[in-house]
Amino acid sequence: MEPERKRSGSTLKKGRKRRLIPSKVVGAAEATRSHWDLEEKQQPIAKKARLSTVLFAENCEVTHGQLCELLKYAVLGKSSFPKPSWCQLFHQNHLKNVVVFILQGLSQLHFYKFYLEFGFLRKAFKHKFRMPPPSSDFLADIIGLQKKQIIGNLPKAMEGFLDCENFVPTKCNGSVTDNSPLFGLDCEMCLTSKGRELTRISLVAEGGGCVMDELVKPDNKIVDYLTSFSGITKKILNPVTTKLKDVQRRLKILLPPDAVLVGHSLDLDLRALKMIHPYVIDTSLLYVREQGRRFKLKFLAKAILGKDIQCPDRLGHDATEDARTTLELARYFLKYGPKKIAELNLEALFSYQESQEPRNTAEGVQRLNTSVLECLDSVGQKLLFLTQEADASALSSSKNCQTIKCLSNKEVLEQARVEIPLFPFSIVQFSFEPFSPNLTQEMNKRIKIKWTEMSTVYAGPFNKNCNLSALKRLFKSFGPVQLMTLVLETHQPHLCIQYEVLEAAQLAIESLDGVLVEGSCIKVQRPVTELTLDCDTLVNELEQDSENRGTIYLSGVSETFKEHLLQHCSIFLGLEAMILPKDLKSGKQKGYCFLRFKTFGSAQRALNILTGKDWKLRGRHALTPRHLHAWLRGLARESRLPGVRVIPPSSEQEAWQMLNVDHPKIAAWHWGRKIEKLYHNLCPGTLCLILLPGTKSTHGSLSGLGLMGIKDEEESTIPQTCVCESAHHLPGVIS
């Protein structure tokens, strides 16, 4: 779309003052989230949309597809889409707008490098999550835009998929002729902690015979069986032992070298199979709609073939029936050609059928591969997209998107102030120049060292005849120890303790600094280096981080702690989640935990009780949100001798950039303030997301970071209930 420097009032009428369509409240099916459903049923008079404080995502990493789930659900709600698999959005019908701010070129690394500068973002948004590095079109992924392809070389079409390098080829490399056999393929999926995974595959030969129909057990924990689509339930899948690798092996044997696979939205099926096949026919693209949109298979079956499939009185779809239908549609197209298809005037027929049906029924829009744009279009609304001229995306050329291209970030900001109130759904993209690979590598190294040093304490001096075993037990009582060494370079012995979590190090300092231990008044402190000089400030700000405000850290918990806590849950009002980390090798609890409460007051009261004379645990308020804990756990620990400087960048110019850090720091502070002003201008009830997509290049990839919240979401209006989750009940728990 050409940039629109001057726009008349008529251009924007479709987008003005529209609100997201209400949806009916229906019960959820997932057992892992039943307590949330119960909570919602108990609050029929609640009038404000809100988000749950616990994210159901493995290691707090949310895929781009899962983000798309939330955005579609925010637009249309439960009556059209299943609940997001990774979070809970209550009272969606009370959302006023959705606004997504994208800080292109920034990542999770940048956020924590300039954590103190991003003051507003870390304090205003209590829901934070990690994202994988972006694909070639991050925007298309989170909006759900589909790649256009009918017949061609599938590996090229799949270059944007992050995990394409792990896909398995079918080994079909023969020459395709008019006599090459066609095979209909249809897959059913469920939602797991890693996204969508295969649960059923049906392969039908050209004559209509079924050559393969298998149920498949996913590798990861299932959070939603998607029974309304797949027809698959927990009971059906429980006895199944077939895995994805078994299906891949069979397909390689079954398919001849010149086989052509036929399916409807076949890219999704092949992605679920994690396979690459060179010759494909996608019926959703053979019978393509205007602006690249797609007809549903059910509609095409009735309009072209005169047959009814996916009947509402049947639980889920019949994968074999769908596979046969795609074969028949492909043969019809090959026999009669595009001219005959054009004469059928499918678009007009579809519009007529849609007008005869209720606007907001599941039959009308319930389709997992529907884009956010199609969701908005189904309720007569438009998406606003503000970006710079140079930032190309498939979104900017989409029909149902009002794109405004600007010359700079400053102009994007100015347009955002004017345009956001006029649209129900807005995406505002700011673009930042990425740091050089050398500087990024240096930042990454410094972050690793900084967190290692912040989690390390030196304690002493001790008497030369001190009880070393007793000292080790004492310092281990504050939390898990990575490394403990005796320092003998000093006149009297000292201990150097490197903890696994920052909370343990801070608790040791607060509990023992200046205290008489083993007959000596000891000092407990962090190593003093250029990276820890602002440590006290950083710890204080981490404690004030909105995601940590209602969470406490406890050390010294036993294996029976969970049961003991449940027996006394009446005194711990507002408890939402119990996070019990486990050792990855042994599977045993690590002896510490995090308890998350709805309010800071509830957390403080629980901390007072649990560290009192009856429970005798050590604890404090949390410092590391779950997404940060998971990220730091994935970083290789690095350390250095105190006082030894990190090796500087090779060139003088980069060294000066490292020394003159005012530029990136000021940019972080400046744009954090600008977004704060935009945020305060949003109307109450607006779902707001801040996305730092991360980076991906030949020099390496950086994970992204997402922050989200609902403007003026007030916890004080929520009745307090006690819900406890153990490590094996809470998906994505730190272990």
Side-chain angles (χ1 to χ4, degrees):
M1 179 180 289
E2 291 296 319
E4 298 180 45
R5 313 307 315 154
K6 297 180 180 179
R7 299 174 305 287
S8 64
S10 60
T11 307
L12 299 176
K13 283 182 181 177
K14 287 185 179 180
R16 289 184 184 273
K17 297 181 181 178
R18 293 193 181 272
R19 293 176 57 178
L20 297 177
I21 191 163
S23 66
K24 297 177 182 178
V25 178
V26 298
E30 297 90 333
T32 56
R33 296 177 291 174
S34 59
H35 60 280
W36 294 118
D37 300 320
L38 178 62
E39 184 180 341
E40 185 161 348
K41 289 174 184 176
Q42 292 173 343
Q43 303 174 55
I45 59 172
K47 295 182 179 180
K48 290 190 176 183
R50 65 181 181 86
L51 289 158
S52 68
T53 57
V54 179
L55 303 184
F56 296 87
E58 186 158 329
N59 289 330
C60 289
E61 181 169 282
V62 175
T63 67
H64 305 141
Q66 288 174 320
L67 261 182
C68 186
E69 287 175 16
L70 172 64
L71 295 179
K72 290 189 290 187
Y73 185 79
V75 175
L76 292 177
K78 295 178 183 176
S79 61
S80 299
F81 287 98
K83 291 183 177 182
S85 61
W86 58 282
C87 69
Q88 290 285 301
L89 171 58
F90 296 126
H91 311 298
Q92 171 273 342
N93 54 319
H94 292 288
L95 276 182
K96 300 300 188 296
N97 298 299
V98 178
V99 179
V100 181
F101 294 105
I102 297 176
L103 310 185
Q104 193 67 38
L106 299 187
S107 68
Q108 184 168 229
L109 173 65
H110 296 90
F111 183 81
Y112 283 104
K113 170 65 178 176
F114 306 115
Y115 181 81
L116 295 178
E117 283 68 38
F118 282 118
F120 168 73
L121 297 186
R122 57 185 161 80
K123 290 180 180 177
F125 296 92
K126 68 183 297 183
H127 312 284
K128 303 181 183 72
F129 52 88
R130 188 172 54 169
M131 295 186 294
S135 67
S136 57
D137 197 339
F138 172 75
L139 269 171
D141 291 341
I142 66 170
I143 294 301
L145 296 179
Q146 301 292 325
K147 306 275 191 300
K148 295 182 181 180
Q149 181 192 4
I150 300 178
I151 300 178
N153 191 321
L154 190 62
K156 289 184 180 178
M158 299 184 74
E159 284 176 358
F161 292 158
L162 292 176
D163 53 355
C164 182
E165 61 270 18
N166 298 321
F167 283 24
V168 177
T170 57
K171 304 296 185 185
C172 294
N173 50 13
S175 299
V176 176
T177 67
D178 291 343
N179 296 321
S180 293
L182 304 182
F183 289 85
L185 174 68
D186 187 68
C187 295
E188 300 297 340
M189 281 80 85
C190 69
L191 283 175
T192 73
S193 57
K194 287 288 189 179
R196 290 190 177 88
E197 292 191 47
L198 183 71
T199 51
R200 183 182 177 186
I201 174 176
S202 289
L203 188 70
V204 176
E206 199 162 355
C210 181
V211 295
M212 186 178 182
D213 187 19
E214 287 278 353
L215 291 171
V216 186
K217 180 158 286 186
D219 293 327
N220 297 290
K221 183 174 181 177
I222 297 174
V223 296
D224 191 336
Y225 284 85
L226 301 178
T227 306
S228 59
F229 298 102
S230 66
I232 294 171
T233 62
K234 182 178 181 180
K235 183 178 179 180
I236 292 173
L237 212 55
N238 262 346
V240 175
T241 57
T242 302
K243 305 293 280 188
L244 177 62
K245 62 182 179 181
D246 302 318
V247 171
Q248 293 172 336
R249 193 181 304 113
R250 281 196 63 190
L251 277 176
K252 284 200 252 184
I253 296 171
L254 282 171
L255 294 174
D258 60 340
V260 178
L261 289 180
V262 181
H264 198 78
S265 295
L266 190 60
D267 53 330
L268 299 178
D269 296 321
L270 287 168
R271 190 170 188 180
L273 286 166
K274 294 190 176 180
M275 297 193 78
I276 296 174
H277 187 77
Y279 312 119
V280 297
I281 297 176
D282 192 329
T283 53
S284 73
L285 298 174
L286 281 180
Y287 299 90
V288 68
R289 296 180 63 190
E290 296 174 357
Q291 301 296 322
R293 293 179 294 172
R294 304 185 185 195
F295 290 114
K296 293 181 293 184
L297 182 63
K298 180 177 181 177
F299 167 77
L300 291 175
K302 185 68 173 176
I304 304 292
L305 307 174
K307 61 188 288 188
D308 292 307
I309 64 169
Q310 301 174 2
C311 299
D313 57 345
R314 189 166 56 198
L315 183 63
H317 299 174
D318 184 330
T320 303
E321 180 184 60
D322 290 355
R324 283 198 188 98
T325 303
T326 60
L327 270 178
E328 292 175 35
L329 287 169
R331 285 202 299 267
Y332 186 97
F333 188 95
L334 294 172
K335 181 178 180 180
Y336 294 105
K339 184 177 180 181
K340 174 70 173 177
I341 306 304
E343 292 171 358
L344 296 175
N345 203 354
L346 294 174
E347 192 72 45
L349 179 60
F350 180 80
S351 298
Y352 173 76
Q353 278 194 14
E354 198 175 41
S355 67
Q356 301 303 304
E357 297 176 356
R359 189 66 181 267
N360 203 29
T361 63
E363 244 342 90
V365 291
Q366 193 175 42
R367 180 72 179 174
L368 285 179
N369 62 345
T370 301
S371 71
V372 172
L373 287 173
E374 289 172 305
C375 293
L376 289 166
D377 187 47
S378 71
V379 291
Q381 298 175 342
K382 250 189 174 183
L383 182 147
L384 169 68
F385 179 38
L386 286 167
T387 187
Q388 290 194 43
E389 291 265 9
D391 296 328
S393 171
L395 179 62
S396 60
S397 59
S398 300
K399 177 184 177 183
N400 197 41
C401 177
Q402 176 68 49
T403 301
I404 302 174
K405 294 186 177 180
C406 305
L407 298 175
S408 65
N409 281 338
K410 183 179 179 181
E411 189 178 347
V412 170
L413 182 70
E414 292 169 351
Q415 293 289 352
R417 291 194 186 103
V418 177
E419 304 294 345
I420 285 178
L422 308 178
F423 288 81
F425 198 115
S426 305
I427 295 179
V428 181
Q429 180 168 272
F430 300 103
S431 298
F432 300 94
E433 196 68 31
F435 293 160
S436 70
N438 285 345
L439 182 54
T440 300
Q441 186 178 7
E442 186 69 20
M443 282 174 56
N444 202 22
K445 184 176 181 179
R446 283 179 168 244
I447 283 287
K448 292 178 184 179
I449 294 174
K450 185 182 185 80
W451 285 98
T452 300
E453 292 181 345
M454 285 179 62
S455 302
T456 300
V457 298
Y458 284 87
F462 298 104
N463 293 324
K464 292 182 180 179
N465 59 350
C466 64
N467 187 334
L468 191 58
S469 297
L471 288 177
K472 287 183 177 181
R473 285 195 301 272
L474 173 63
F475 283 96
K476 285 181 178 180
S477 69
F478 299 106
V481 173
Q482 289 276 114
L483 183 67
M484 189 183 300
T485 56
L486 187 63
V487 179
L488 299 175
E489 297 295 322
T490 51
H491 175 64
Q492 289 180 283
H494 286 67
L495 280 177
C496 175
I497 307 102
Q498 183 178 311
Y499 286 100
E500 184 178 313
V501 293
L502 180 60
E503 287 84 354
Q506 187 65 23
L507 191 54
I509 293 171
E510 293 166 348
S511 303
L512 296 181
D513 187 35
V515 173
L516 195 66
V517 177
E518 290 282 317
S520 300
C521 184
I522 65 168
K523 186 170 184 61
V524 182
Q525 61 184 339
R526 291 185 174 88
V528 180
T529 71
E530 70 272 20
L531 297 182
T532 59
L533 288 174
D534 63 352
C535 187
D536 291 342
T537 302
L538 183 54
V539 166
N540 182 63
E541 293 301 322
L542 282 167
E543 191 169 314
Q544 299 303 313
D545 189 299
S546 59
E547 193 168 356
N548 291 329
R549 290 282 291 164
T551 305
I552 61 174
Y553 163 83
L554 296 170
S555 180
V557 300
S558 65
E559 292 192 358
T560 60
F561 173 73
K562 173 192 161 189
E563 289 72 20
H564 195 192
L565 192 73
L566 288 171
Q567 291 171 4
H568 298 83
C569 63
S570 59
I571 63 174
F572 299 110
L573 297 177
L575 178 61
E576 286 190 319
M578 182 191 305
I579 303 168
L580 291 164
K582 294 182 178 180
D583 185 88
L584 292 176
K585 293 181 179 179
S586 66
K588 294 182 178 180
Q589 292 180 16
K590 286 192 172 184
Y592 71 98
C593 75
F594 292 90
L595 300 183
R596 183 147 196 171
F597 294 83
K598 287 182 180 176
T599 65
F600 176 79
S602 297
Q604 182 62 59
R605 284 191 293 273
L607 184 62
N608 293 339
I609 294 170
L610 291 166
T611 56
K613 61 180 181 179
D614 293 330
W615 292 74
K616 298 179 181 178
L617 299 175
R618 298 188 185 273
R620 72 174 325 278
H621 289 282
L623 298 172
T624 46
R626 284 185 60 212
H627 73 276
L628 176 59
H629 195 159
W631 180 51
L632 292 175
R633 188 183 62 188
L635 294 176
R637 294 259 175 174
E638 293 200 22
S639 59
R640 54 177 174 144
L641 294 174
V644 178
R645 294 187 56 80
V646 177
I647 299 173
S650 54
S651 70
E652 284 188 17
Q653 185 177 3
E654 287 185 3
W656 174 251
Q657 191 175 2
M658 282 296 300
L659 292 172
N660 186 19
V661 292
D662 285 345
H663 170 64
K665 279 191 175 182
I666 288 178
W669 177 85
H670 176 76
W671 286 102
R673 291 293 301 274
K674 296 296 183 186
I675 292 173
E676 178 181 3
K677 290 180 180 178
L678 283 177
Y679 180 81
H680 288 315
N681 288 333
L682 300 178
C683 66
T686 296
L687 173 63
C688 183
L689 286 90
I690 312 288
L691 303 180
L692 288 67
T695 60
K696 190 172 187 180
S697 69
T698 55
H699 301 285
S701 301
L702 295 176
S703 298
L705 181 71
L707 307 90
M708 65 178 181
I710 296 175
K711 176 76 181 297
D712 290 352
E713 178 183 1
E714 293 181 8
E715 294 188 7
S716 59
T717 63
I718 304 167
Q720 294 199 350
T721 58
C722 181
V723 179
C724 297
E725 294 278 4
S726 68
H728 58 278
H729 287 146
L730 181 62
V733 66
I734 301 170
S735 57

